[in-house]
Amino acid sequence: MMKLIADSGATKTDWACITNDRRCIRFSSAGYNPNYITADWIVEDITSAFPSDLNLDEICEVFFYGAGITKLLEPFMKSALQQAFPKATKISAATDLIGASRALLGDRSGFAAILGTGMNSGIYDGKEIAFRVGSLGFILGDEGSGAYLGKLLIRDFMRHRMSDRVYEIVKDRIRMTDDQLIDQIYKKPMPNRFCAQFGPFIKENLHRDDYFYRLVRNSFTAMFEKIIFHYPAYEKYEFNSVGSIAYCFRDILAETAHAYQMRMGIILRYPLDGLITYHNESLQATEDAVTAFNDS
């Protein structure tokens, strides 16, 4: 019985296949946000990306976590996955926040966040998201995310709210005029991804000038002020998060959390790592229960 686990974003899906002999085979495909693509396209892309040394018909269980999978769209995603894996007897499709929560907390309750291109968070009760404060997306919010961080950088650059030295460093990286930046963000598709691409650049320059440190700290402070602070009794939770921004800037994130009396918990760059552990443990627990029943 082979099991598939997937963590899907807007541009890429990371897959892990747990084989009968407990090997873990990883591969990637396109991202599958059900708001923007058809079931036929999903099936075709999965089929083309699936490793040639594995058999689609041998997949018995599929656990899919993805951006854009609301309760309303779960049936659509499950139907598409059933078409891709016709022999599967169990197919689950859930939001990426449920995936992050399981990767970080397993079946324990607690606070879980996603800090990557975008930001999402919620209180997890061990099964479902019991309470969440909306991040409101790129235009209205997403404080703390890579897109928000890049937006702060671009805004400061265009208003020249940085030293001449830092301005030249940023100018050399952006290589666009103010008009071109406005056109890119207001008229071109995916402005959130455009802004988020400057995360690695900011990371590389953290120790080059204090401006970059303050930029990250201000982004996380805004996240606490606008989002985390509005969770009831948020201080009693640990700050657990998946995502590249949480991982790459974890020291500054820890400083900011401490300033708001919140302890740091688990930080994972890739949620799939935690999901593999979660579903492997679930499989082992099921096998142990069957063994115990048979032995009784």
Side-chain angles (χ1 to χ4, degrees), residues 25-44:
I25 299 172
R26 297 199 190 204
F27 62 99
S28 296
S29 67
Y32 309 127
N33 188 316
N35 291 285
Y36 307 115
I37 53 179
T38 65
D40 288 343
W41 192 89
I42 292 172
V43 174
E44 182 180 347

Side-chain angles (χ1 to χ4, degrees), residues 6-287:
D7 172 57
S8 183
T11 57
K12 187 180 74 163
T13 300
D14 293 322
W15 297 83
C17 179
I18 301 174
T19 64
N20 296 325
D21 56 0
R22 297 293 180 86
R23 289 182 298 121
C24 182
I25 299 172
R26 297 199 190 204
F27 62 99
S28 296
S29 67
Y32 309 127
N33 188 316
N35 291 285
Y36 307 115
I37 53 179
T38 65
D40 288 343
W41 192 89
I42 292 172
V43 174
E44 182 180 347
D45 191 75
I46 289 175
T47 302
S48 63
F50 203 73
S52 57
D53 56 337
L54 296 176
N55 188 341
L56 282 166
D57 290 337
E58 292 183 13
I59 301 300
C60 295
E61 293 182 304
V62 181
F63 300 92
F64 189 94
Y65 303 95
I69 301 182
T70 61
K71 288 291 183 183
L72 187 64
L73 289 171
E74 276 183 25
F76 165 83
M77 198 68 213
K78 290 171 72 172
S79 175
L81 292 167
Q82 189 71 72
Q83 293 175 55
F85 306 101
K87 303 294 185 181
T89 57
K90 181 175 183 179
I91 291 181
S92 171
T95 176
D96 53 353
L97 186 54
I98 288 286
S101 299
R102 290 179 174 175
L104 293 162
L105 298 163
D107 292 324
R108 296 180 292 113
S109 62
F111 173 87
I114 300 171
L115 280 175
T117 297
M119 190 276 177
N120 202 355
S121 63
I123 302 299
Y124 177 64
D125 65 8
K127 292 183 179 179
E128 301 290 338
I129 302 301
F131 183 81
R132 64 182 296 267
V133 177
S135 68
L136 306 184
F138 174 71
I139 293 176
L140 295 179
D142 257 0
E143 292 88 350
S145 69
Y148 185 83
L149 185 60
K151 186 163 60 174
L152 291 182
L153 177 73
I154 292 168
R155 186 175 66 190
D156 283 356
F157 173 73
M158 294 179 70
R159 291 175 174 169
H160 215 130
R161 293 182 59 186
M162 52 183 64
S163 69
D164 291 343
R165 176 175 177 271
V166 172
Y167 183 86
E168 291 302 321
I169 294 171
V170 177
K171 180 180 178 181
D172 187 59
R173 170 61 180 84
I174 290 180
R175 296 177 182 271
M176 296 174 76
T177 65
D178 288 2
D179 287 344
Q180 288 172 327
L181 285 169
I182 291 293
D183 184 71
Q184 178 71 48
I185 292 170
Y186 282 90
K187 295 182 179 180
K188 300 291 177 63
M190 303 297 180
N192 57 331
R193 288 191 212 165
F194 173 78
C195 292
Q197 71 173 307
F198 296 103
F201 164 75
I202 294 167
K203 170 69 173 175
E204 291 166 7
N205 286 279
L206 269 184
H207 302 293
R208 195 171 178 184
D209 192 280
D210 191 54
Y211 166 82
F212 296 100
Y213 167 85
R214 293 196 307 272
L215 194 72
V216 178
R217 183 64 186 262
N218 289 342
S219 177
F220 288 149
T221 296
M223 176 185 69
F224 272 86
E225 290 286 338
K226 304 298 183 182
I227 300 173
I228 310 303
F229 183 78
H230 298 282
Y231 281 97
Y234 74 91
E235 306 98 323
K236 74 177 185 180
Y237 297 103
E238 291 183 338
F239 192 101
N240 304 290
S241 183
V242 300
S244 58
I245 295 298
Y247 182 83
C248 291
F249 300 106
R250 56 193 181 278
D251 291 342
I252 305 175
L253 178 59
E255 291 175 13
T256 312
H258 179 74
Y260 285 86
Q261 290 80 51
M262 195 174 189
R263 302 185 312 279
M264 288 297 290
I266 300 167
I267 303 295
L268 292 175
R269 183 165 194 164
Y270 304 110
L272 189 61
D273 294 338
L275 287 169
I276 290 169
T277 300
Y278 174 82
H279 286 290
N280 258 332
E281 289 177 351
S282 175
L283 177 62
Q284 185 62 54
T286 301
E287 291 177 351

